Amino acid sequence: MIAPRRFLPSVSSLLALEAVDRLGTATAAAEDLALTHSAISRQLKTLEAQIGVSLFRREGKGLALTPAGLDYAASVRDYLQDLARSSMKIRAAGEKSSLNIGVLPAFGTHWLLPRLKSFAVQYPDITVNLSTRLAPFDFSRDKLDAAIHFGTRDWPGVEYLDLGQENIIPACAPELLGPGALRVPDLLTMPLLHLESRPGAWEDWFERNGHPADRLRGMLFDQFTHMVEAAVHGFGVALLPEFIARVEFERGRLTPAVAGRTPIDSRYFCVWPHLRPPSRPLQRLLDWLGQIVAQQPVHPDR
């Protein structure tokens, strides 16, 4: 239910409030919004009268927001951003239905996007928008229909579609390897590259391969993209998901540092809110993902 109209200020007055808060003066706000100083003043007076709370106080020739005004301006900024995103979403989709999906950068680039073309061909009336996320988020706040989750079934309040387990492979530039094949212990003498979102990944890999190690150090990256490039340029050995490693092996930019691949406990899931039944477009995407995974799992057996 929408609130009574008397509680809904005009967008113009909210833009004036946001601009004064952001720029510090009514004069700067007027210039930013291509309005006169008096027009900004009228918008602010109308807004205060409608809200019934003092949002500004005079400080010399300028205006300063009251504590209530500062809180309200922060809420208004979020509202304006949401309104702008919604407008951009419908403008981009046109007459089509649209889906907003949160994706992990590497998974989106190397696994999802190469396959998403077939979904677009099969369902030309649905536009899929991808939003890159590195950290967990809240479906109640973020305007997303679904998201790609890596880990276990530890996300409260969501439904899961299992996309498969992950295998990892140590990879490095071909010139970083000496003559002859390397063994697992040999990697302890080489520079190791680390990912912020996967602390302890190397320690876990060595333990799973029969050579426990701890306190392993090396260059640290926040995304696989940068870590891959560092490995390509010879900075060290990167521990990569198989779907990334295979691409780089085929390109000849990287090579396996040791033979074999190692399965880990974490899996990839598509998740969506438990209390929000999938829309028709989302159900189409989930059905399609299920078919894709059945044919081409995240880690194909090779």
Side-chain angles (χ1 to χ4, degrees), residues 88-167:
M88 290 175 62
K89 173 184 171 183
I90 194 170
R91 178 176 179 178
E95 298 299 322
K96 297 182 179 181
S97 300
S98 63
L99 286 172
N100 293 326
I101 310 298
V103 297
L104 301 167
F107 188 88
T109 299
H110 296 279
W111 193 90
L112 183 58
L113 273 174
R115 294 163 174 80
L116 199 58
K117 180 65 176 179
S118 70
F119 179 82
V121 171
Q122 189 173 349
Y123 298 105
D125 60 326
I126 301 175
T127 297
V128 179
N129 305 312
L130 301 183
S131 177
T132 301
R133 299 297 172 106
L134 288 171
F137 48 88
D138 187 345
F139 277 118
S140 66
R141 294 196 309 264
D142 294 87
K143 308 302 182 182
L144 295 172
D145 298 292
I148 301 302
H149 170 56
F150 175 73
T152 60
R153 293 175 181 265
D154 57 356
W155 195 327
V158 300
E159 299 286 350
Y160 294 84
L161 173 63
D162 192 343
L163 302 181
Q165 189 180 33
E166 181 172 274
N167 288 329

Side-chain angles (χ1 to χ4, degrees), residues 216-249:
L216 300 177
R217 296 180 174 84
M219 293 178 67
L220 185 65
F221 301 87
D222 67 344
Q223 293 190 37
F224 275 118
T225 300
H226 297 150
M227 189 165 72
V228 166
E229 292 304 314
V232 168
H233 288 88
F235 283 96
V237 184
L239 199 56
L240 300 178
E242 185 172 6
F243 64 81
I244 299 178
R246 293 290 180 189
V247 173
E248 297 301 333
F249 296 162

Side-chain angles (χ1 to χ4, degrees), residues 187-241:
L187 294 191
L188 289 169
T189 66
M190 302 180 70
L192 304 178
L193 308 180
H194 302 260
L195 195 69
E196 285 182 4
S197 60
R198 299 192 180 188
W202 271 113
E203 286 84 352
D204 181 66
W205 182 86
F206 277 107
E207 184 171 354
R208 289 173 184 269
N209 284 275
H211 292 274
D214 60 5
R215 299 182 182 180
L216 300 177
R217 296 180 174 84
M219 293 178 67
L220 185 65
F221 301 87
D222 67 344
Q223 293 190 37
F224 275 118
T225 300
H226 297 150
M227 189 165 72
V228 166
E229 292 304 314
V232 168
H233 288 88
F235 283 96
V237 184
L239 199 56
L240 300 178

Side-chain angles (χ1 to χ4, degrees), residues 15-68:
L15 286 169
L17 171 68
E18 189 281 330
V20 170
D21 176 47
R22 173 166 46 87
L23 300 173
T25 67
T27 300
E31 182 176 350
D32 184 65
L33 298 176
L35 297 172
T36 63
H37 185 283
S38 60
I40 292 292
S41 297
R42 285 195 301 272
Q43 294 283 3
L44 297 178
K45 289 178 180 178
T46 300
L47 181 60
E48 279 191 322
Q50 187 172 11
I51 298 298
V53 175
S54 295
L55 302 176
F56 298 90
R57 64 175 181 271
R58 292 284 178 182
E59 288 189 352
K61 295 183 179 180
L63 293 175
L65 271 70
T66 64

